[in-house]
Amino acid sequence: MGWVTAIAVYFIIWWVVLFTLLPVGVRSQVEDGDVAPGTEHGAPAKPMLFRKMLMTTVVSFVVFGLFYLVTVVLGFGLDDIPRIVPDFRNR
């Protein structure tokens, strides 16, 4: 895997993890008891975006490390999936 491909894969993993972690630990303005005028009641009171970006970076690094280990170090690819996952249709 070249470095450009590695950066592209990490970028995709980072965005998927970001959208997965965005709702974690969020309290709405209604739950917090402080609704700002002119805003949606369900909007986050404190979105903590910097913390979420830091958590996303750490989790993405671990996921990318596992991806790199499986694909580059161990040499598994998409063609190996039928040999790894058993076929339950014939049972």
Side-chain angles (χ1 to χ4, degrees):
M1 173 183 332
W3 63 275
V4 175
T5 305
I7 290 172
V9 169
Y10 181 80
F11 181 76
I12 292 169
I13 291 171
W14 194 89
W15 277 103
V16 170
V17 171
L18 174 67
F19 286 120
T20 304
L21 291 180
L22 274 177
V24 173
V26 174
R27 292 180 48 89
S28 69
Q29 292 180 15
V30 172
E31 292 173 335
D32 216 28
D34 185 25
V35 179
T39 62
E40 172 65 36
H41 297 286
K46 298 173 189 164
M48 301 178 288
L49 291 179
F50 182 74
R51 181 178 173 194
K52 301 258 173 124
M53 288 173 58
L54 184 63
M55 286 176 20
T56 298
T57 303
V58 170
V59 171
S60 297
F61 183 75
V62 171
V63 171
F64 179 76
L66 291 172
F67 171 78
Y68 187 84
L69 175 73
V70 169
T71 58
V72 175
V73 176
L74 298 177
F76 288 107
L78 291 176
D79 296 335
D80 298 318
I81 292 176
R83 289 187 289 138
I84 297 170
V85 179
D87 187 12
F88 294 109
R89 293 178 295 169
N90 296 331
R91 291 186 182 195

